[in-house]
Amino acid sequence: METVVSGIRPTGNLHLGNYLGALRNFVKMQNQQRCFFFIADYHSLTTHPTPKDLHGNVKNVLVEYLACGLDPEKATLYIQSDVPETAELYLILNMNAYVGELERCTSFKDKVRTQPNNINAGLLTYPTLMAADIILHKATKVPVGKDQEQHLEMTRTFAKRFNRMYNVEYFPEPVAYNFGEELLKVPGLDGSLKMSKSDNENSCIFLADTAESIRKKVMKAVTDAGPTQPNETKPQAVENLFSLLKLVSKPNVVQHFDALYNDCTIRYGDLKKQLAEDMAIFVAPITEKIHDLASNDEYLHRVAKLGAEKARESAAQTIKEIREIIGFKSF
Ligand code: ADP
Ligand code: TRP
């Protein structure tokens, strides 16, 4: 049996990109494999949230995990900071991570460019914390979206380096996983290549959005003046709408609008109306469960407690073994 680990940072509500790129696969994997799904709250400290926001966002993600169908009996569902063993492994990995390789990481370089006033050590060492999350349970498969590919590559580097350094075959080399398919990158409504809350909230459809707010956002989505030649290549923003349609609508609906585009008779208003309707149908069952779960604090408490216990058991075993390997032996 494979061991699976993945997590999402609690920075607000989850969007369709998170769901289609990652969370949907968590749900599919929990039936067959040994799964650990967590809420990456240590990671979110790089943005310095207030205690109230942090706690509220952890709750949002926990509720949304459950609303999407994660089953705390099948998978281990936990909050990262409930498992401090994560921090110990992070410290150990940092000792063998080179500043140069961390500085070359694309997500770090993006942050240096976009938020030069808050480049903290946590951002630089984000990949070692992520590697610690994954190898803490000796995972082999990590369901994530395409943007996480490089972090997985770095995780393999750190795992291999540990094995080589201590001459052991202890950590497996985990891979990003999407059931043999290309990793997914869900585009944004703003013409961007990635629906992302951290880049632009307006590019996102959230799982907790009402049909009305979905309609408003989709109607405002970026397009162009429309095709003037038959079979024209679609500009990025229009291509995005078609990609989103492919993810939530039936194939014949996509074919219908594609044909209208190709003979230059498409009306973007109609395309958007259809997309908004199909997105609303897609998220409705999840939204309903979000509302049911959000007020059930007692259940959420039980889920988090059970997850913490199961995750710590696995983590403690790994930490015990690597302490031995490293030479932290008790007298
Ligand atoms: P955001 O970019 O909105 O801050 P995160 O970086 O917290 O989202 O993403 C959490 C998980 O969701 C990761 O596995 C990531 O790969 C996946 N994910 C986020 N946005 C997308 C997207 N647009 N397409 C595919 N997967 C995505
Ligand atoms: N870096 C991931 C993101 O931004 C979140 C994450 C943290 C993660 N630790 C992980 C994903 C471990 C998979 C495995 O989305």
Side-chain angles (χ1 to χ4, degrees):
M1 191 188 300
E2 306 268 3
T3 297
V4 178
V5 168
S6 195
I8 300 183
R9 283 172 305 134
T11 54
N13 288 104
L14 299 184
H15 53 72
L16 268 182
N18 299 134
Y19 179 74
L20 293 164
L23 189 43
R24 176 174 58 168
N25 293 337
F26 300 0
V27 180
K28 283 198 224 161
M29 294 175 100
Q30 69 182 349
N31 294 316
Q32 296 120 26
Q33 319 291 358
R34 175 175 177 255
C35 290
F36 294 86
F37 298 120
F38 67 98
I39 300 171
D41 59 348
Y42 281 144
H43 280 277
S44 68
L45 295 184
T46 57
T47 59
H48 310 151
T50 64
K52 187 164 167 273
D53 284 349
L54 178 61
H55 184 70
N57 286 335
V58 169
K59 179 176 172 181
N60 284 339
V61 178
L62 183 58
V63 165
E64 288 168 0
Y65 272 4
L66 294 165
C68 287
L70 280 191
D71 181 340
E73 301 291 332
K74 290 182 183 156
T76 297
L77 211 64
Y78 70 100
I79 298 161
Q80 189 186 29
S81 63
D82 281 339
V83 183
E85 288 81 359
T86 309
E88 181 166 348
L89 183 51
Y90 167 60
L91 179 146
I92 291 166
L93 294 181
N94 272 335
M95 300 303 171
N96 305 318
Y98 299 106
V99 171
E101 67 190 333
L102 295 170
E103 280 174 340
R104 279 193 299 277
C105 176
T106 317
S107 60
F108 180 72
K109 287 197 283 191
D110 285 347
K111 295 288 178 205
V112 171
R113 205 167 29 81
T114 55
Q115 52 171 69
N117 296 326
N118 181 24
I119 300 304
N120 52 61
L123 278 177
L124 181 69
T125 56
Y126 189 104
T128 52
L129 180 54
M130 179 156 164
D133 295 327
I134 296 169
I135 67 177
L136 185 61
H137 304 293
K138 303 174 84 175
T140 47
K141 290 204 157 61
V142 186
V144 281
K146 193 154 181 54
D147 59 312
Q148 297 299 316
E149 231 165 11
Q150 192 185 26
H151 288 151
L152 259 297
E153 205 180 302
M154 295 176 81
T155 300
R156 287 191 288 277
T157 301
F158 300 139
K160 275 190 284 193
R161 192 172 292 159
F162 180 94
N163 290 347
R164 207 178 328 111
M165 185 157 177
Y166 295 105
N167 199 18
V168 288
E169 279 185 37
Y170 186 73
F171 289 120
E173 290 180 40
V175 291
Y177 182 76
N178 185 22
F179 297 93
E181 307 259 316
E182 261 282 289
L183 300 185
L184 204 62
K185 191 190 267 187
V186 177
L189 289 172
D190 56 350
S192 64
L193 289 173
K194 186 189 158 208
M195 181 178 285
S196 167
K197 181 157 186 301
S198 2
D199 294 347
N200 177 11
E201 284 221 8
N202 295 325
S203 74
C204 299
I205 295 293
F206 295 101
L207 300 177
D209 274 344
T210 61
E212 181 53 18
S213 76
I214 294 177
R215 198 186 59 80
K216 279 195 185 138
K217 285 192 214 175
V218 175
M219 294 321 274
K220 275 196 248 160
V222 178
T223 49
D224 66 348
T228 52
Q229 306 279 333
N231 304 315
E232 242 178 62
T233 309
K234 298 181 183 89
Q236 188 60 53
V238 176
E239 184 64 44
N240 284 0
L241 296 185
F242 275 89
S243 301
L244 290 166
L245 200 66
K246 276 187 203 127
L247 290 165
V248 297
S249 304
K250 300 211 168 72
N252 62 329
V253 173
V254 183
Q255 277 158 17
H256 167 75
F257 284 102
D258 223 14
L260 294 179
Y261 186 90
N262 285 336
D263 69 14
C264 306
T265 55
I266 192 159
R267 292 197 328 213
Y268 289 137
D270 296 342
L271 167 68
K272 287 177 171 179
K273 205 161 152 264
Q274 179 80 46
L275 178 60
E277 261 173 41
D278 290 343
M279 278 179 163
I281 292 170
F282 190 87
V283 299
I286 301 174
T287 314
E288 210 174 290
K289 291 200 194 98
I290 292 175
H291 289 302
D292 291 347
L293 284 158
S295 53
N296 199 343
D297 283 337
E298 199 238 298
Y299 177 62
L300 299 177
H301 170 77
R302 260 191 291 134
V303 168
K305 188 158 172 283
L306 173 69
E309 282 164 10
K310 291 201 284 180
R312 282 201 85 171
E313 196 182 317
S314 153
Q317 180 68 26
T318 305
I319 292 293
K320 182 169 165 279
E321 288 166 0
I322 59 171
R323 279 177 152 261
E324 282 280 319
I325 292 171
I326 289 172
F328 289 147
K329 295 186 201 265
S330 46
F331 284 95

